[in-house]
Amino acid sequence: MSTTSQKHRDFVAEPMGDKPVTALSGIGETLGKKLEDQGFDKASVVLGQFLLLKKDTEMFTDWLKDASGANSRQAGSCAQCLKEWCDAFL
Amino acid sequence: MASTQITDEELFSQLKFYGFSPGPVTENTRPVYLKKLKKFLEEQQQQQREQRGKGRGGSTGAPRPGRHDVRRLSSGRRPGLKSSVLGFSSDESDAETPLKRTALDYTKRTGRNQNQPPAEANRKAALKGDSFPAPDGQPAAALGRGTGNRSRPDGEELSDEEEPNSRPVNGRRSAPLSSSKLAGDYSDSEEEEVGAPGGPEPDRRSLELRRISTAGPFGPHADGRGSRGKNCSPPGSRSMAGGREEDGERMRRADLEASGGSGRHMFPRKPLYVPLDPQSRPCENNHVNSEEGPPRRSSAGTRQRFPAYRSPAPGGFSNHSPLPNHAGPKKKVSAPEDDLLLQFHREGQGPSGSFSAHYLSMFLLTAACLFFLLLGLLYIRMRGSGAPGGEGLIKSHPFGSDFDASYDEAEREVILKLLLSLHDHLAVVAGHHDCGDQRFPNRSLSREKVAEYLEAQDGAFKGFIDVSLEWIIRTNQDVGIRLSGSDDPVTDVSEISWLESTHPRMPFACRFRRAFLSVVSKVVLVVVVVGLAWSAVCYVKHRWRREEEETRQMYDMVERIIDVLRTHGEACQENRDLEPYLPIPHVRDSLLQPQDRRKMNTVWNRAVKFLSANESRIRTETQTIKGADFLVWRWIQPSLSCDKSKVWQGKAFPLDRRNSPPNSLTPCLKIRNMFDPDMEVGDSWDVAIQEAILEKCSDNDGIVHISVDKNSKEGCVYVKCLSAEHSGKAFKALHGSWFDGKLHAEVTGSLWAVLPD
């Protein structure tokens, strides 16, 4: 995606620290709740999953769609957000 | 499938075998990797099948079940016909957005799912053969399944992905689903899958038929596409069968089906996007219009196209089949393209209509201009010929009744005719003279010339010249002839020497020219005056704006200088080696780029002047630096102790679990160390403190009361909130913050029955 949302920019701008999973770009209330129910209560845990999948955005997108019922756009946005965060801070 | 019982290590190694480097297989990543493995397997199978298919010259076993499908379809779909119509009413609004999204998804998945459909299709074809014996049972089951998964939002993407996986599952409905998670996730697609046999409309049926009947290498494709559910028909039936909310999905399927039906799977997906839209439209039309009677005709129309291609298709499943198949899809594509062309033609008339409109407006404009021009000319001409013409019309004359009485009619007539001709002649003379005609150097005619002229006109005039002249003199009104003589005014006929016309009649061209010139000159004058005024105004505005800009730049520069000096001053405080002043040229050079220095010179000078005059914190002095004299600025550190504003100055320690309780116990907070009662001066410092607290907790709307205990030695402030939760929030905001140079910590948990007031 060439244009990024404010949420994306906010997330990628600083270390995620203890941010909740809803701070991720593309993850709203509903999806966040679903992820939390599965144990992904913080953005860092989702980052963990992303890293487990070897930072492959495609696989991560697939996983996210499975796990939370996100659509392509939301999952892609989240993956992109995490990828950029990793590029900046990891 | 065996993959469901695969172990982690096996999964890992299999993925590596396909050249993919997976991460660790954990409970979370397992399903993802399973999917990936399945994809690899299908790709492999599809490749094998391709090779096999090519070997057999285009006809494989796949088309046969397709044919069976055809027959079964035709029997099985009829009952669902009506229901498929009903469900579309809610689609229309969803039609557009999913279309775009589907196209997007579609192109996105080009790379990934390049060769999948055929592989899936083969399985699907076999599947369909199995499932058809009980078409009615399936929709019912699908219904049940579908309603169970209503909560899943936007599962369409998911179902797209999972269809390949669900298909084998679907085929063996009796067999239990291998992994519960898969089932839970994939049942959406399964439901759609199952719903496919349920009733679409006849045209969609024929679409499906045609699609399926495209045999040969396209057969599996078509089936695969159809089975993926990207058809006009299956989505429709599915939605009807399930009463699904995801109508958009159906529309999306519609698009993709249309493209699928075109049978161009072999080609890269991207170009398919193009026929996507035109394809979608007829499909869409069919959908949207399905409930109305007349559009039935359109569906019938589309239907007509298909049977034509159905016949050749079953006919040749060998090498001939690709040809009609090609023709078929191409014709189908061209049909919607015709629609498109038709629409363009209709729009094409629009532009031509607009052309004529353009010409029309131009024509009207020119007509109006011509009209006004003619009007003006006419007016001028009228003005030119002011005198009444005609010989027998000299009834009115300005001489009064005496004239009538003195002469009889014939004489009167002669006299009047004489006067008229004299008047005309003089007018012509004067007019020509005014026009600059060289034939008449004098505006007025001498008496002799007048007599000559009049006698030349009519011999009868001779005797009456004097009489008429006398009458002219006698009359008080203006007859258009001015008589001038040696002394003015002329009182006697004998004194007349010159006759001149007061109403000169100029030739038309001359008149027009003069009018035009006068008008133009007046207009030019007005324009010039207006232009001068406007340019003056513009100039003044420009100057004013420039002034403002310069002032703004100057203030900006002043601020920057102050910042630099302040930071330098603070650095000096920490580092005693630095001089506490800065030379002015150094400051300038550090602030301004070399290329800007000349431009900003005036601004800089103004800033310097401003600083020396108005800024009390900076002192200008002369210092010797390394032997050279410089004008320097010294930053004078203001004392902060006299700053009475109560400010928050940041947090002393981060709020974490160690030094803050997890939640507040009571709705009341006590804040210590906010102030020193002995040191506070002024009347309203407690109000200032209250305001500061409110500001800090600006997002907290649950603060009921703040009370500053003026007498407490500890500097306590009591805050009462609406609830424990609110007080917890306030606690988090305030705890550990520096305020006015004091760190204050809070104590919670104190319960007051009565707040000290």
Side-chain angles (χ1 to χ4, degrees):
Chain A
M1 304 185 207
S2 54
T3 58
T4 54
S5 67
Q6 186 59 39
K7 214 172 169 193
H8 176 109
R9 289 195 285 270
D10 287 342
F11 190 82
V12 176
E14 56 177 0
M16 64 172 79
D18 231 11
K19 285 190 188 165
V21 76
T22 46
L24 285 164
S25 166
I27 307 292
E29 291 270 349
T30 334
L31 293 178
K33 186 84 180 40
K34 292 223 180 87
L35 283 172
E36 279 169 27
D37 291 342
Q38 294 187 21
F40 297 90
D41 59 339
K42 292 285 174 204
S44 48
V45 188
V46 179
L47 173 71
Q49 184 68 11
F50 181 67
L51 295 173
L52 273 182
L53 293 170
K54 297 217 162 169
K55 299 199 241 170
D56 184 340
T57 45
E58 223 174 75
M59 304 263 303
F60 179 77
T61 315
D62 287 348
W63 170 80
L64 191 58
K65 294 203 282 199
D66 288 351
S68 68
N71 62 28
S72 279
R73 188 190 59 79
Q74 294 165 319
S77 168
C78 183
Q80 187 65 24
C81 177
L82 281 171
K83 184 164 191 321
E84 280 187 31
W85 190 92
C86 286
D87 291 341
F89 295 102
L90 216 48
Chain B
M1 225 153 128
S3 64
T4 60
Q5 281 96 28
I6 204 171
T7 68
D8 285 351
E9 290 82 20
E10 273 187 47
L11 180 60
F12 192 75
S13 51
Q14 290 242 351
L15 283 170
K16 283 180 98 161
F17 169 68
Y18 284 107
F20 176 70
S21 144
V25 182
T26 71
E27 69 171 75
N28 277 325
T29 59
R30 198 189 158 85
V32 189
Y33 287 136
L34 277 173
K35 263 202 323 192
K36 193 95 186 168
L37 184 65
K38 286 198 180 90
K39 249 193 336 191
F40 283 128
L41 284 173
E42 282 152 9
E43 273 176 36
Q44 209 182 39
Q45 282 175 6
Q46 185 254 338
Q47 280 165 8
Q48 288 168 2
R49 246 162 259 239
E50 258 181 40
Q51 289 159 5
R52 262 183 275 139
K54 282 189 194 126
R56 272 187 244 163
S59 73
T60 65
R64 299 303 160 91
R67 244 200 299 198
H68 291 305
D69 291 347
V70 167
R71 276 183 237 132
R72 298 258 176 94
L73 271 173
S74 50
S75 58
R77 288 196 180 175
R78 225 169 275 270
L81 185 64
K82 282 263 170 18
S83 55
S84 61
V85 177
L86 292 172
F88 285 139
S89 50
S90 53
D91 293 344
E92 304 181 19
S93 55
D94 297 340
E96 286 313 313
T97 38
L99 274 178
K100 293 194 184 66
R101 286 183 51 217
T102 59
L104 267 173
D105 312 329
Y106 196 55
T107 49
K108 249 176 40 176
R109 301 169 55 204
T110 23
R112 285 204 291 157
N113 305 333
Q114 192 71 23
N115 290 320
Q116 266 186 320
E120 298 164 338
N122 290 326
R123 269 183 293 135
K124 175 93 190 290
L127 205 73
K128 277 210 171 181
D130 297 340
S131 53
F132 275 132
D136 295 325
Q138 280 175 344
L143 249 175
R145 198 75 70 100
T147 48
N149 287 334
R150 198 58 59 217
S151 60
R152 162 159 259 159
D154 262 345
E156 40 186 338
E157 296 311 314
L158 222 52
S159 24
D160 262 351
E161 295 287 357
E162 286 119 27
E163 262 180 78
N165 301 318
S166 67
R167 230 162 274 131
V169 174
N170 188 24
R172 292 167 207 107
R173 288 173 58 72
S174 50
L177 290 171
S178 44
S179 87
S180 55
K181 192 157 184 196
L182 274 174
D185 292 346
Y186 300 160
S187 47
D188 265 354
S189 55
E190 182 183 350
E191 173 202 38
E192 300 161 14
E193 176 58 38
V194 164
E201 288 184 348
D203 59 336
R204 269 176 274 119
R205 186 199 335 154
S206 50
L207 264 179
E208 175 107 6
L209 290 176
R210 198 195 56 73
R211 178 180 42 79
I212 287 172
S213 63
T214 59
F218 297 100
H221 285 209
D223 272 350
R225 299 308 303 280
S227 59
R228 290 187 78 92
K230 301 174 183 35
N231 298 321
C232 280
S233 34
S237 60
R238 244 173 267 143
S239 55
M240 293 328 98
R244 293 165 64 95
E245 297 164 359
E246 287 121 353
D247 297 330
E249 186 175 2
R250 177 171 26 94
M251 293 314 301
R252 208 179 101 243
R253 305 289 153 117
D255 306 337
L256 298 171
E257 192 254 347
S259 54
S262 69
R264 291 211 228 162
H265 323 283
M266 278 309 211
F267 310 117
R269 294 290 171 90
K270 279 221 163 63
L272 276 171
Y273 181 53
V274 171
L276 198 79
D277 270 343
Q279 292 284 23
S280 69
R281 224 169 285 150
C283 263
E284 207 180 299
N285 285 336
N286 291 337
H287 284 171
V288 167
N289 298 330
S290 53
E291 50 240 29
E292 297 150 17
R296 284 300 187 137
R297 270 180 267 125
S298 72
S299 59
T302 59
R303 208 187 320 165
Q304 282 163 10
R305 286 185 225 132
F306 302 136
Y309 304 115
R310 227 194 309 166
S311 33
F317 278 111
S318 58
N319 290 341
H320 301 295
S321 53
L323 263 157
N325 292 336
H326 270 294
K330 289 226 168 42
K331 261 311 179 92
K332 182 159 160 18
V333 168
S334 67
E337 279 175 6
D338 283 341
D339 279 345
L340 214 71
L341 283 171
L342 271 177
Q343 290 198 355
F344 279 140
H345 281 156
R346 259 178 268 124
E347 278 163 38
Q349 284 164 14
S352 70
S354 77
F355 277 144
S356 68
H358 175 72
Y359 285 142
L360 190 67
S361 67
M362 291 289 289
F363 170 69
L364 277 176
L365 200 66
T366 51
C369 284
L370 277 170
F371 172 70
F372 280 116
L373 209 63
L374 278 170
L375 208 62
L377 292 173
L378 210 65
Y379 171 70
I380 290 172
R381 178 172 282 252
M382 290 295 287
R383 276 282 297 270
S385 57
E391 293 179 1
L393 291 170
I394 310 173
K395 298 290 178 198
S396 63
H397 55 83
F399 297 137
S401 52
D402 295 345
F403 183 76
D404 292 335
S406 343
Y407 303 101
D408 61 5
E409 190 160 337
E411 289 171 346
R412 212 173 30 219
E413 212 179 300
V414 169
I415 292 173
L416 289 174
K417 248 174 37 177
L418 183 152
L419 281 169
L420 187 66
S421 82
L422 175 66
H423 174 267
D424 289 345
H425 182 68
L426 283 173
V428 166
V429 166
H432 279 284
H433 175 81
D434 283 342
C435 273
D437 201 337
Q438 293 306 316
R439 285 179 290 153
F440 302 93
N442 293 328
R443 202 163 187 265
S444 46
L445 283 180
S446 68
R447 192 168 168 195
E448 294 78 24
K449 288 223 186 84
V450 165
E452 247 174 63
Y453 173 74
L454 285 171
E455 275 164 30
Q457 293 283 57
D458 198 343
F461 286 160
K462 189 167 175 188
F464 293 104
I465 293 176
D466 293 335
V467 171
S468 48
L469 287 173
E470 196 185 318
W471 274 106
I472 291 173
I473 295 169
R474 236 196 269 177
T475 182
N476 295 327
Q477 299 175 9
D478 177 29
V479 290
I481 301 172
R482 184 167 55 233
L483 308 167
S484 54
S486 35
D487 27 282
D488 286 322
V490 174
T491 48
D492 194 27
V493 183
S494 54
E495 288 177 22
I496 297 173
S497 47
W498 296 101
L499 290 94
E500 198 172 320
S501 168
T502 51
H503 296 150
R505 196 189 314 158
M506 292 179 256
F508 178 68
C510 177
R511 193 169 256 280
F512 178 73
R513 199 176 353 121
R514 282 162 67 97
F516 178 75
L517 280 173
S518 70
V519 163
V520 163
S521 62
K522 282 193 197 108
V523 163
V524 163
L525 196 67
V526 165
V527 161
V528 161
V529 165
V530 165
L532 277 174
W534 180 70
S535 66
V537 163
C538 265
Y539 179 68
V540 164
K541 265 209 291 197
H542 175 70
R543 280 297 301 271
W544 178 70
R545 217 176 317 141
R546 251 231 313 232
E547 279 283 330
E548 253 197 26
E549 176 71 22
E550 275 191 7
T551 316
R552 190 189 60 79
Q553 273 183 341
M554 184 207 64
Y555 283 124
D556 185 46
M557 183 67 58
V558 164
E559 271 179 36
R560 281 159 72 185
I561 294 169
I562 290 176
D563 279 337
V564 164
L565 285 173
R566 187 188 298 137
T567 49
H568 182 74
E570 282 163 10
C572 280
Q573 278 196 330
E574 294 163 18
N575 184 356
R576 286 292 155 192
D577 295 337
L578 291 174
E579 303 287 342
Y581 44 77
L582 278 178
I584 294 182
H586 290 190
V587 175
R588 183 198 67 195
D589 293 338
S590 62
L591 283 179
L592 294 174
Q593 299 288 344
Q595 59 263 30
D596 296 335
R597 270 172 219 167
R598 186 136 51 102
K599 269 196 301 179
M600 308 279 274
N601 201 20
T602 49
V603 177
W604 177 259
N605 289 336
R606 286 179 68 189
V608 171
K609 259 186 264 167
F610 181 84
L611 277 177
S612 55
N614 293 358
E615 182 61 53
S616 61
R617 293 173 291 178
I618 299 177
R619 192 166 59 211
T620 315
E621 29 182 68
T622 319
Q623 294 277 357
T624 311
I625 299 179
K626 296 196 170 57
D629 279 337
F630 282 106
L631 217 58
V632 302
W633 277 326
R634 182 193 290 274
W635 175 255
I636 300 172
Q637 183 72 15
S639 52
L640 283 171
S641 56
C642 49
D643 189 6
K644 265 302 167 187
S645 67
K646 308 274 177 200
V647 286
W648 294 95
Q649 287 155 336
K651 276 204 176 299
F653 44 82
L655 206 65
D656 58 12
R657 296 197 187 276
R658 276 189 299 110
N659 49 18
S660 76
N663 50 358
S664 180
L665 303 169
T666 66
C668 303
L669 293 178
K670 171 179 163 188
I671 311 174
R672 281 187 293 119
N673 232 359
M674 283 288 280
F675 56 89
D676 192 347
D678 298 330
M679 267 191 52
E680 297 295 341
V681 299
D683 297 329
S684 59
W685 54 268
D686 56 338
V687 177
I689 288 178
Q690 284 184 20
E691 280 171 8
I693 291 177
L694 279 171
E695 187 191 305
K696 185 85 171 156
C697 309
S698 54
D699 57 345
N700 192 346
D701 53 354
I703 296 182
V704 173
H705 182 79
I706 302 179
S707 154
V708 178
D709 191 357
K710 298 193 193 172
N711 299 323
S712 78
K713 282 281 173 238
E714 283 185 337
C716 286
V717 177
Y718 301 98
V719 178
K720 181 161 160 49
C721 299
L722 270 180
S723 66
E725 185 201 324
H726 285 121
S727 75
K729 271 171 69 177
F731 177 84
K732 283 199 185 71
L734 295 168
H735 186 59
S737 306
W738 288 97
F739 179 75
D740 206 14
K742 301 184 191 62
L743 176 66
H744 63 280
E746 303 196 12
V747 169
T748 65
S750 341
L751 198 66
W752 293 281
V754 177
L755 271 182
D757 237 340

